[in-house]
Amino acid sequence: MGEKRIAIIGIFVEERDSVEAVNAVLHDNGQHIVGRMGVPYKDRGISVISLIVDATSNEINNICGKLGKIKGVSVKSVCAKNV
């Protein structure tokens, strides 16, 4: 197991039908999630979710990979340098 890192994962959900699948991935990885903020931006028809996670690089990549495979979902992550 690798060293844990603090990261921010940004998620854009552009298709409402994908929300359930996104929540399932987040639920399955809840042990890594330190904080979550979700904002439904109704004027643009999009939901924006930001996560703070404490996980290994492999776990972060796994979460992002699963989310990125969901139709209508875009995801990016950024890790703290030395934390």
Side-chain angles (χ1 to χ4, degrees), residues 9-58:
I9 299 176
I11 307 162
F12 293 103
V13 183
E14 299 173 11
E15 294 197 21
R16 188 151 175 77
D17 294 341
S18 300
V19 170
E20 189 173 326
V22 169
N23 283 329
V25 172
L26 300 183
H27 176 77
D28 291 345
N29 292 281
Q31 70 273 22
H32 305 299
I33 298 173
V34 176
R36 171 183 175 172
M37 179 179 68
V39 178
Y41 193 177
K42 293 178 184 176
D43 291 348
R44 295 282 192 133
I46 190 170
S47 293
V48 182
I49 303 169
S50 60
L51 303 176
I52 300 170
V53 297
D54 187 356
T56 66
S57 293
N58 285 341

Side-chain angles (χ1 to χ4, degrees), residues 1-6 31-32 54-57 59-60 83:
M1 185 165 126
E3 187 175 331
K4 286 192 168 191
R5 305 182 72 181
I6 303 294
Q31 70 273 22
H32 305 299
D54 187 356
T56 66
S57 293
E59 291 164 337
I60 294 165
V83 179

